[in-house]
Amino acid sequence: MAFLLASPKSNFQNHQFTYLIKTMNDKNAPNVSGVDRPGRRTVSSLCGMCAVRCPIQVEVEDGRVAWIQGNPNDKTMETSLCAKGSAGIAFEYDDERPQYPLIRSGPRGSGQWRRAQWDEALDYIIDKLKKVVDKYGGRGIALSDRGGPFTDLTKTFIKSLGSPNYFNHDCTCGRNTHHATKSLFGLGRTDLGMDIKNTKHLVLYGRNIIESLQVKEAKDFISALGKGAKCTYIDVRATLTASKAHRFWMIRPNTEYAINLAWINVVLKENLYDSDFVAKWVTGLDELKAFVHDYTPEWAEGVTGVPAGELRTAIREIAADAPQVIFHAGWMTARHRQSFYTARTAHILNALMGNIEVTGGLIISKKPGDYSVKGINKLEERVPKIDAERVDQIGTKFKHWDKGPGLLHLLFPALLSGEPYQVGAYFVYRHDPLSSLPDPDAIQKALDKLDLLVSIDVNYSETAWYADVILPESTYLERGNIIAQKGGAKPNLQMRDQCIAPRFESRPAWWIFREILRRFERGEYLDFENLEEIWRFQLEGTGVDLNELREKGVVSLAEKAVKRDRDTGLGFKTPSGKIEFVSQSLTEAGLPSFAPFYEPPAKKPGQFNLVFGRVGFLAHAQSTNNPLLHELMPENTLWINSAVAQELGIGDGDTIKVSSDGAEAVGRAKVTDFIHPEAVFMVHGFGRTVPLQTRAYKKGMADQRLMKGMLTSYDPAGGGNTLTETVVTVTKDWKP
Ligand SMILES: Nc1nc2c(c(=O)[nH]1)N[C@H]1C(S)=C(S)[C@@H](COP(=O)(O)OP(=O)(O)OC[C@H]3O[C@@H](n4cnc5c(=O)[nH]c(N)nc54)[C@H](O)[C@@H]3O)O[C@H]1N2
Ligand SMILES: Nc1nc2c(c(=O)[nH]1)N[C@H]1C(S)=C(S)[C@@H](COP(=O)(O)OP(=O)(O)OC[C@H]3O[C@@H](n4cnc5c(=O)[nH]c(N)nc54)[C@H](O)[C@@H]3O)O[C@H]1N2
Ligand code: SF4
Ligand SMILES: [Mo]
């Protein structure tokens, strides 16, 4: 059966959303035992509506999901859930998602597909994969996913195929902060947790903590404010978080690094730092002093627009509350060529004030070993080590970056040039690079070099639509995952358990990867008959009971949280064992430990930095087609400063055209005082191009399409893409 998707309305009325749809259980689906039994039951699991994966409890009635709430076995979570999590039921009972494997029957991206049985789709993949490996070897395969606690499976899969090329999404997310944290502490971004609940002052640089949220963190933040904590919030626009902060600065785009430099200058000049802590744990203080000497608050005022007096008052006030203070080094911070040094200086401020391993400050994440208990067994360790060079050359050419998930944006130039070698097959799992990396046109040109592109998704993502094969994964409510182990003050194990049988012919990831490996004659690395066998392998020797974990959903590996000794045992993983203001690894890579401020180039009138972000009820590009969430925000708008809009003749609600280097988007203006005159803003995730997503199809503007040329533009020290350096022109789109 071949079909061409021309008009979404005429061809796909049968894809209308309805709760009354009859479930079509697939008899061959590998279900967790007991999942089909009738009656009412409660399943402890993990939400899948965004990548935070909060603990949830799901009420199932006669095989249907009746209710979802937070899992009260997790004390902070209680029964809370965000709007996206609650819309999980709408997602589950929506038919506008892939229901069976699809094999492309026309040119890439044409929307011509034929329905396939699983056997046929897997055999098709194996046939292509064998040809790729014959031509380029095992290293000619790549995989990218969405990171997180289940990646032991994807890493096992790609390694079993003989490839070092595991990637995740992080080049457009937390990589700059991650690398900055490594350069100072030798620890990764998430190895330094934040005790937000007990903090006295939280400094946020565009970290929109109650809209770009994790339920537990948002609750901790609100609870801290309730106890009198203060918040300084720095952004180019007023977000909901700005409305909760007691101090808000609307700064010029891409300049917050200047604030940190000025603050460090004041802290050092006025001795506002913890000299005992610094003497014990820090190297490079003198070099830092010399470097920040001229970066005064008066200088920073000229760059950021924040008055020097306010900068001084703020840092004195913050220092008075130290060490119960957190400078949030960012998840993303902004995304420009100085993001790495912004994150680095935020952490330098944390180190100067001694906010490390203290209540209300940063807490070093503990591993099971810190509590003398055994963590879960890793599947990946069953696979022999791969010695081949990564295609992004991290670990060889780029030694200062973490090999782990590499930098995905470097894959695309390598596809085009064949340097350092050719990759011919690319698996994209729970990831949508054509939405989440800049300049999809440039990415598509690179993807055209592939012999095989496979997308494993629960939605028709932009990337799935461009793939050769779409393999539908069962939704997070229809499948179990491998057990997740999470670090933190107390490490714990978390269970995503299957709640209901799959409604369509989808399969869980562990099954998909195992089947490909079996057919590729590498089955020995994932030779489990069912998911329960994997769980038992993971838990062996940990002393954790599988039934207890399934019942509770979350089991802590430690009784009581302990802190490391701040005098003797902080255990930083740098070469010196200290917090390296002057970093040995950066020096070896030829990068400065302290980088001079780079003044963002001036823009012409009518030009703006395009910045982007989230709203609390949407997750990236994956929920704009959700039947309920779509109602809350059918399309995005372009935030533009009132005074500037007036000069351009643009009124609130007017149709505008946003253009950048040949790319254009048409939408509506939101004229507001709450954004800096040099920036315009839009919520990410709109402007979808897949006709099968009838609600989101062609609604609103896609920020990533306007980011022309940004695929190859990245922070040279941190590696992350410089998305907020995109400059766009805005004009009123006159309609006669
Ligand atoms: N222009 C621009 N670019 C951005 C951002 C931005 O705001 N603007 N944000 C950046 C950030 S911070 C991030 S983290 C990335 C996120 O980038 P992505 O990870 O690509 O984004 P998501 O939309 O979260 O999810 C990707 C895909 O996973 C699929 N998916 C969801 N759940 C499941 C599941 O259970 N199984 C499977 N197999 N698939 C599933 C979704 O349907 C979606 O197609 O984007 C980054 N890039
Ligand atoms: N509801 C919801 N919550 C989420 C997600 C989601 O998709 N939806 N995704 C999760 C993920 S993957 C991530 S990474 C986090 C991201 O969490 P945040 O980092 O808080 O992410 P954003 O919403 O992208 O917020 C970016 C903010 O930075 C501001 N900004 C832009 N340019 C500049 C600048 O130059 N300087 C400063 N100081 N600010 C600037 C923007 O105006 C915007 O308000 O959110 C997580 N939580
Ligand atoms: S933040 Fe919301 S959508 Fe994301 S995992 Fe938690 S409850 Fe689900
Ligand atoms: Mo992210």
Side-chain angles (χ1 to χ4, degrees):
M1 180 184 64
F3 49 89
L4 177 66
L5 306 171
S7 155
K9 273 210 183 104
S10 57
N11 281 346
F12 284 92
Q13 272 152 353
N14 58 330
H15 278 273
Q16 290 299 304
F17 161 67
T18 163
Y19 279 109
L20 299 175
I21 191 109
K22 198 174 167 303
T23 53
M24 322 189 307
N25 293 356
D26 170 7
K27 296 285 168 280
N28 300 319
N31 293 327
V32 165
S33 57
V35 76
D36 290 326
R37 68 179 184 274
R40 194 171 177 100
R41 63 205 167 84
T42 305
V43 186
S44 296
S45 192
L46 294 173
C47 180
M49 291 299 285
C50 86
V52 173
R53 304 167 179 103
C54 296
I56 52 171
Q57 275 184 341
V58 181
E59 295 285 322
V60 179
E61 205 167 333
D62 293 331
R64 290 179 62 85
V65 178
W67 178 251
I68 308 175
Q69 63 177 22
N71 183 348
N73 292 325
D74 182 297
K75 278 207 189 75
T76 320
M77 193 75 199
E78 298 170 299
T79 53
S80 309
L81 205 62
C82 82
K84 296 161 281 157
S86 306
I89 302 181
F91 164 63
E92 179 59 43
Y93 295 104
D94 180 18
D95 291 357
E96 292 193 356
R97 54 184 169 94
Q99 304 180 0
Y100 31 74
L102 290 167
I103 299 176
R104 181 166 64 83
S105 60
R108 277 203 176 118
S110 64
Q112 289 170 268
W113 301 96
R114 64 189 162 87
R115 179 177 181 164
Q117 299 299 317
W118 275 94
D119 273 341
E120 187 190 357
L122 293 171
D123 286 344
Y124 178 94
I125 290 170
I126 296 302
D127 179 53
K128 296 261 182 178
L129 211 51
K130 284 191 171 146
K131 287 181 183 143
V132 166
V133 172
D134 283 348
K135 268 199 285 184
Y136 310 124
R139 67 182 190 172
I141 309 170
L143 175 143
S144 70
D145 69 13
R146 182 50 201 287
F150 303 124
T151 53
D152 189 21
L153 183 69
T154 34
K155 287 177 185 159
T156 301
F157 170 72
I158 189 74
K159 228 170 131 183
S160 300
L161 291 174
S163 171
N165 293 317
Y166 166 78
F167 294 92
N168 70 17
H169 68 294
D170 214 32
C171 62
T172 48
C173 181
R175 264 304 94 171
N176 289 327
T177 308
H178 175 77
H179 286 139
T181 314
K182 277 228 129 169
S183 75
L184 279 165
F185 304 100
L187 301 169
R189 178 179 68 86
T190 54
D191 292 330
L192 274 183
M194 284 168 277
D195 185 11
I196 290 175
K197 196 176 189 168
N198 295 307
T199 200
K200 288 188 178 161
H201 203 128
L202 180 63
V203 181
L204 300 168
Y205 311 80
R207 170 75 190 99
N208 187 6
I209 199 163
I210 53 169
E211 285 186 278
S212 309
L213 58 92
Q214 315 191 64
V215 170
K216 286 201 262 182
E217 193 179 67
K219 289 182 76 171
D220 280 350
F221 175 65
I222 297 296
S223 148
L225 294 184
K227 290 191 283 178
K230 290 175 184 154
C231 173
T232 294
Y233 184 73
I234 304 162
D235 198 318
V236 299
R237 64 182 186 114
T239 59
L240 276 188
T241 307
S243 73
K244 297 279 176 203
H246 91 293
R247 175 184 291 112
F248 166 52
W249 290 326
M250 192 154 79
I251 59 158
R252 285 182 63 217
N254 302 335
T255 60
E256 65 279 276
Y257 179 41
I259 293 183
N260 283 351
L261 293 176
W263 272 351
I264 294 173
N265 173 301
V266 178
V267 167
L268 295 178
K269 277 196 186 135
E270 300 187 9
N271 282 322
L272 300 177
Y273 62 97
D274 179 341
S275 47
D276 287 347
F277 184 85
V278 168
K280 208 167 283 159
W281 289 111
V282 164
T283 66
L285 184 69
D286 292 338
E287 291 87 338
L288 179 69
K289 274 186 183 159
F291 172 71
V292 295
H293 187 267
D294 296 330
Y295 289 119
T296 60
E298 286 67 25
W299 163 81
E301 175 174 342
V303 175
T304 63
V306 183
E310 282 189 35
L311 285 167
R312 280 207 167 79
T313 308
I315 195 66
R316 288 174 189 150
E317 184 188 296
I318 296 165
D321 280 334
Q324 273 170 276
V325 159
I326 298 168
F327 294 85
H328 194 310
W331 197 334
M332 303 171 61
T333 63
R335 323 217 51 76
H336 49 76
R337 73 189 64 194
Q338 300 186 102
S339 290
F340 173 89
Y341 291 104
T342 307
R344 201 167 194 276
T345 43
H347 269 326
I348 285 180
L349 284 159
N350 281 319
L352 285 171
M353 294 193 185
N355 312 335
I356 316 273
E357 203 65 354
V358 283
T359 302
L362 302 176
I363 306 280
I364 298 169
S365 180
K366 308 299 181 303
K367 305 273 182 291
D370 287 283
Y371 290 91
S372 308
V373 292
K374 184 174 166 354
I376 52 173
N377 301 301
K378 281 185 146 191
L379 296 164
E380 192 193 343
E381 280 166 10
R382 298 154 41 100
V383 192
K385 198 169 170 283
I386 306 281
D387 290 323
E389 180 185 35
R390 289 185 58 93
V391 70
D392 57 11
Q393 295 181 288
I394 294 180
T396 45
K397 183 173 167 193
F398 305 112
K399 288 212 172 74
H400 61 299
W401 287 328
D402 221 9
K403 258 197 203 170
L407 287 171
L408 180 59
H409 59 79
L410 297 178
L411 171 66
F412 303 109
L415 286 179
L416 286 170
S417 67
E419 295 295 332
Y421 55 83
Q422 193 64 48
V423 162
Y426 178 20
F427 288 87
V428 183
Y429 170 67
R430 209 215 167 288
H431 189 206
D432 187 7
L434 287 176
S435 296
S436 61
L437 270 87
D439 202 347
D441 295 339
I443 298 175
Q444 283 179 351
K445 284 201 182 85
L447 295 179
D448 287 343
K449 293 281 179 181
L450 292 168
D451 299 308
L452 177 68
L453 176 60
V454 179
S455 165
I456 306 167
D457 208 299
V458 294
N459 283 304
Y460 294 110
S461 71
E462 299 284 303
T463 310
W465 206 241
Y466 205 69
D468 303 324
V469 184
I470 304 178
L471 298 178
E473 188 178 18
S474 305
T475 69
Y476 72 101
L477 294 163
E478 300 171 339
R479 69 169 194 262
N481 275 61
I482 61 171
I483 295 166
Q485 179 172 296
K486 288 203 170 174
K490 291 196 294 179
N492 63 30
L493 301 188
Q494 301 191 354
M495 169 65 89
R496 175 175 282 153
D497 211 342
Q498 187 177 355
C499 302
I500 56 167
R503 292 183 55 229
F504 304 115
E505 291 170 32
S506 60
R507 294 287 185 269
W510 70 266
W511 183 94
I512 297 173
F513 292 130
R514 186 199 65 182
E515 284 307 299
I516 296 176
L517 290 180
R518 277 188 176 169
R519 285 162 206 250
F520 200 71
E521 286 156 26
R522 300 281 167 89
E524 67 270 30
Y525 300 125
L526 209 55
D527 56 348
F528 298 94
E529 281 314 309
N530 53 48
L531 184 58
E532 277 131 330
E533 267 189 25
I534 301 184
W535 288 341
R536 290 191 192 285
F537 162 79
Q538 290 183 285
L539 287 182
E540 208 179 305
T542 59
V544 174
D545 178 62
L546 176 59
N547 291 330
E548 187 195 349
L549 181 58
R550 288 185 73 182
E551 194 190 314
K552 291 190 177 153
V554 184
V555 169
S556 178
L557 292 176
E559 293 270 305
K560 200 171 166 290
V562 289
K563 291 203 180 67
R564 291 191 186 158
D565 188 324
R566 286 176 96 233
D567 284 333
T568 54
L570 286 182
F572 299 118
K573 297 257 171 63
T574 48
S576 63
K578 301 216 170 179
I579 303 170
E580 295 190 351
F581 285 2
V582 174
S583 154
Q584 295 187 38
S585 66
L586 289 179
T587 308
E588 275 162 27
L591 287 161
S593 289
F594 311 118
F597 183 80
Y598 160 86
E599 177 88 33
K603 292 175 288 286
K604 297 195 190 95
Q607 286 191 333
F608 307 87
N609 282 96
L610 174 65
V611 304
F612 54 82
R614 340 212 161 281
V615 282
F617 48 83
L618 292 176
H620 299 284
Q622 63 168 285
S623 48
T624 34
N625 197 53
N626 180 289
L628 288 182
L629 301 175
H630 164 80
E631 276 182 29
L632 296 176
M633 192 173 182
E635 58 182 34
N636 57 357
T637 53
L638 186 82
W639 289 39
I640 183 163
N641 176 274
S642 313
V644 175
Q646 200 177 14
E647 278 166 31
L648 296 173
I650 295 171
D652 193 38
D654 279 356
T655 305
I656 42 88
K657 185 156 60 183
V658 192
S659 27
S660 158
D661 206 8
E664 274 182 10
V666 173
R668 292 197 180 277
K670 174 185 158 111
V671 175
T672 168
D673 290 340
F674 293 123
I675 185 162
H676 194 278
E678 288 187 40
V680 287
F681 167 86
M682 64 175 75
V683 173
H684 175 60
F686 287 84
R688 314 293 290 160
T689 67
V690 180
L692 287 185
Q693 298 197 322
T694 60
R695 297 168 214 107
Y697 183 58
K698 292 196 173 166
K699 298 273 170 53
M701 300 164 279
D703 54 340
Q704 76 275 12
R705 291 196 179 276
L706 292 162
M707 295 174 179
K708 282 284 174 195
M710 288 295 163
L711 186 61
T712 48
S713 170
Y714 55 91
D715 178 330
N721 288 102
T722 56
L723 306 182
T724 54
E725 289 188 6
T726 306
V727 173
V728 294
T729 306
V730 180
T731 48
K732 185 163 173 164
D733 194 39
W734 291 101
K735 288 259 184 308

